[in-house]
Amino acid sequence: MTLAGELRIELGAGRPPRIVSTRPDAAKVLLGKTAEQVLATVPLVFTLCGNAQSLAASLACRAALGLGGETKADADLRMAVVLESLREHCWRILLDWPALVGRPPDKAALAALVALDRQYKSALLDDAETLNAASGLPGNRFAVDRIRGELLALLDHAVFGENLTGWRQLASEADLLAWLVGQNCIAAAVIGALYRWDWLVLGRTEPAWLPELASGEWFEYLAARDLERFGREPDWQGVCCESTPLSRQRRHPLLAELLVRYGNGLLARFVAVLTEVAELVDYVAAGEPPPRMADAFGADAGGLARVEAARGLLMHRVEFAAGRVVDYRVIAPTEWNCRPGAVLAQGLQVLTAQDPENLHRQAAWWLQAIDPCVPYRLALDET
């Protein structure tokens, strides 16, 4: 088992899916550490979405210790989180989405994406290998501007078929259908396949969107919760909510229409990811992160930070005593979306295929639509 653990998913026609998580409580390694040690350890332990993890740790620790406003490192980390989320989405689009429609992965574009991501970090950090939330990020801003331009051109070509501008202008399903005409890019191939196979509503359930709360509201809510249980199975007012690109993008005019017409099934989810990629591209181009991407709250030597990571809401909650950590909790998107009874299981349960081959195929699409934060294994019970 890796430090990240995995999800084991057992699926059979006519019965509820069984999802078992082997994710360890990696935050226990932070107990007894000082704030400085926490900031040095977090990026080593939490490597997936490491920039978001580092930002959450820095904000939570500073809030708990009453250290005042945001640092220069925090400000630059916000922008690094935007780029990280863009990279995470596009990694899946270029590597995994092609397999859904019988195409090979776009290894050339993926290699270029990874190279530009490394160059971006290097330019920010003067050739440092990793982001360190405890230090400033001086960097080469001229190089950053060049890398941004190359990155945007790459994604425009590889993901949107050089029609990203057209995607940004989509406001209705009619616009979406018009955009698909003549397109051969991966975005069009995946969306077009859903229309051809009539899988537009596949996985549809009654949505339970995670409310958009500030860190202070979460801090107060968690004060009355069993933290051990909440860390495994988070909820809001007893409801198992989802935190995904779709929950974030659901108010976009195109997504609002698709949700009314097709619900929260496959079409809305894949369109939401592409819509979020286009939005993140705009933030990268502007060099400014979303205004509500992250915040923190602290009181009585405790602090909580929330950061919108690629796959959903990430929270870090910390308590100090005598300058050292006595409790540390990390609630990642996996806990929101992949816990028992959450959106991953809900969608798997309503898949329509009866034979094992097609059931496995539908499940593969649903897993890509939710995109768990950890590796997963899918096993079909054919009995």
Side-chain angles (χ1 to χ4, degrees):
M1 182 180 69
T2 66
L3 186 61
E6 67 176 9
L7 296 177
R8 298 172 183 169
I9 304 164
E10 299 174 7
L11 188 61
R15 65 175 179 80
R18 182 171 181 262
I19 301 176
V20 178
S21 174
T22 62
R23 282 165 58 82
D25 186 0
K28 288 188 181 299
V29 304
L30 303 174
L31 297 178
K33 296 188 181 299
T34 65
E36 291 78 9
Q37 290 169 333
V38 167
L39 300 187
T41 304
V42 161
L44 303 177
V45 175
F46 301 97
T47 53
L48 184 67
C49 290
N51 298 341
Q53 299 280 4
S54 291
L55 177 60
S58 178
L59 293 176
C61 287
R62 291 183 62 80
L65 299 176
L67 295 180
E70 188 174 273
T71 67
K72 176 65 163 57
D74 293 336
D76 279 348
L77 269 172
R78 286 176 182 266
M79 198 60 236
V81 170
V82 173
L83 186 75
E84 177 177 76
S85 294
L86 185 59
R87 183 200 67 211
E88 289 294 314
H89 285 321
C90 291
W91 183 281
R92 293 286 163 239
I93 292 169
L94 298 172
L95 182 66
D96 296 332
W97 286 22
L100 298 176
V101 290
R103 292 186 176 190
D106 192 341
K107 294 182 179 179
L110 188 61
L113 173 65
V114 171
L116 287 170
D117 181 61
R118 289 175 177 167
Q119 291 175 35
Y120 187 90
K121 290 180 181 179
S122 179
L124 277 179
L125 300 171
D126 282 341
D127 298 322
E129 284 296 320
T130 57
L131 289 166
N132 182 352
S135 66
L137 308 180
N140 184 335
R141 301 299 175 179
F142 294 106
V144 167
D145 290 341
R146 174 188 60 79
I147 295 164
R148 281 177 185 153
E150 293 181 12
L151 177 65
L152 303 187
L154 169 68
L155 298 183
D156 185 11
H157 173 75
V159 176
F160 296 97
E162 299 185 355
N163 198 6
L164 172 58
T165 299
W167 185 276
R168 287 193 185 102
Q169 297 169 352
L170 300 183
S172 68
E173 186 181 19
D175 293 342
L176 174 63
L177 293 172
W179 185 89
L180 292 173
V181 175
Q183 288 278 8
N184 191 42
C185 60
I186 186 59
V190 167
I191 301 303
L194 292 175
Y195 275 99
R196 289 195 309 276
W197 302 336
D198 195 22
W199 281 8
L200 307 176
V201 303
L202 194 69
R204 177 176 183 170
T205 58
E206 187 65 30
W209 311 120
L210 188 67
E212 298 172 358
L213 305 177
S215 289
E217 295 170 287
W218 280 116
F219 188 92
E220 181 179 349
Y221 180 70
L222 264 62
R225 308 256 80 74
D226 178 341
L227 294 180
E228 196 70 32
R229 180 174 180 177
F230 187 89
R232 296 191 309 270
E233 299 183 357
D235 69 274
W236 173 251
Q237 305 292 5
V239 177
C240 181
C241 298
E242 84 166 76
S243 179
T244 61
L246 179 57
S247 68
R248 285 192 293 242
Q249 297 293 329
R250 69 185 188 274
R251 295 186 183 88
H252 185 283
L254 172 59
L255 268 303
E257 179 179 330
L258 295 180
L259 284 168
V260 169
R261 186 166 296 176
Y262 303 110
N264 60 348
L266 286 181
L267 179 62
R269 294 190 181 280
F270 279 91
V271 169
V273 171
L274 293 166
T275 300
E276 185 153 285
V277 167
E279 181 182 83
L280 290 169
V281 163
D282 289 341
Y283 284 118
V284 170
E288 293 289 339
R292 282 183 46 81
M293 186 184 72
D295 60 29
F297 179 86
D300 302 323
L304 184 145
R306 49 159 291 277
V307 176
E308 291 293 341
R311 296 165 180 85
L313 179 66
L314 170 68
M315 293 199 301
H316 280 219
R317 182 188 181 279
V318 62
E319 289 184 20
F320 287 96
R324 294 188 177 271
V325 174
V326 294
D327 190 73
Y328 206 108
R329 309 282 171 173
V330 175
I331 300 97
T334 295
E335 278 70 61
W336 292 110
N337 302 321
C338 305
R339 55 160 287 188
V343 63
L344 177 63
Q346 292 172 11
L348 290 172
Q349 188 164 353
V350 298
L351 298 180
T352 58
Q354 296 301 311
D355 63 288
E357 181 178 353
N358 282 324
L359 183 61
H360 188 280
R361 187 168 165 228
Q362 289 183 352
W365 276 76
W366 187 252
L367 284 160
Q368 279 299 316
I370 302 301
D371 190 13
C373 301
V374 294
Y376 53 83
R377 287 190 290 165
L378 176 63
L380 294 183
D381 181 2
E382 301 182 16
T383 60

